[in-house]
Amino acid sequence: MYSFEIDQNIPKPQLYDDLHSAALALVDGESDGIANMANVAALLWQFLPDLNWAGFYRMVDGELVLGPFVGKPACIRIALGSGVCGTAAASGETQLVADVHAFPGHIACDAASQSELVVPVIHEGRVTHVIDLDSPDLARFEQEDRAGIERLARTLAGRI
Ligand code: SME
């Protein structure tokens, strides 16, 4: 059994430090990528407030395919360059979107989503996955969230 105690009310950098330690504890020594993505999605869901979706898309044969997540059922395949996830995957750049309705081509998987953070996971120079967080609140994500999830993405590279 895993039981992580993380106080959601601490400053964000500390919250992401704790999350990072917990994620490392989960994936360390485990080579199964699906198990690792599933546990990290559950961890993000448990400890990051105000989310309605948290999970992964995987790069498969040149398109993004849905991976482990927590939230409502979502779009299964996303073309590179399409929506927030496809833009992150095509550019290799994090997409921090304060208002998804203002993002050209945003793909609405859950009508509740108002803001979104998508971080590419880059392994050996290629985008292998994206981490996608959605929130029902406008402007939910800040630079501190971006830094925390980018660090997590670097740690997960090659382990998912
Ligand atoms: N909104 C995303 C699609 C994935 S869902 O949010 C889970 C996008 O525009 O790429």
Side-chain angles (χ1 to χ4, degrees):
M1 183 184 93
Y2 291 101
S3 176
F4 298 110
E5 303 285 330
I6 300 178
D7 180 354
Q8 291 186 13
N9 298 313
I10 56 181
K12 277 189 183 179
Q14 203 180 326
L15 173 63
Y16 278 104
D17 275 353
D18 289 354
L19 253 177
H20 187 260
S21 302
L24 252 186
L26 286 170
V27 306
D28 226 16
E30 177 51 63
S31 61
D32 190 282
I34 292 176
N36 287 340
M37 285 188 275
N39 261 339
V40 171
L43 192 71
L44 293 167
W45 181 260
Q46 187 178 357
F47 292 112
L48 293 180
D50 308 317
L51 300 183
N52 61 312
W53 205 91
F56 293 84
Y57 279 87
R58 302 163 293 132
M59 188 79 93
V60 181
D61 296 335
E63 65 179 344
L64 290 173
V65 182
L66 185 63
F69 69 94
V70 184
K72 288 188 179 168
C75 332
I76 298 170
R77 292 174 188 272
I78 298 176
L80 281 197
S82 212
V84 186
C85 291
T87 300
S91 64
E93 303 280 345
T94 293
Q95 303 296 307
L96 196 167
V97 183
D99 177 0
V100 293
H101 304 294
F103 189 96
H106 163 252
I107 300 163
C109 289
D110 180 343
S113 297
Q114 300 286 343
S115 58
E116 185 162 2
L117 176 65
V118 181
V119 174
V121 178
I122 298 171
H123 182 55
E124 294 174 347
R126 305 168 77 115
V127 175
T128 59
H129 303 75
V130 299
I131 302 173
D132 182 15
L133 301 178
D134 284 39
S135 173
D137 297 342
L138 280 171
R140 154 68 180 81
F141 304 104
E142 311 172 305
Q143 291 304 325
E144 288 170 342
D145 298 286
R146 174 194 186 126
I149 300 299
E150 286 181 343
R151 181 181 177 203
L152 180 65
R154 287 194 294 276
T155 296
L156 294 179
R159 303 180 193 236
I160 58 177

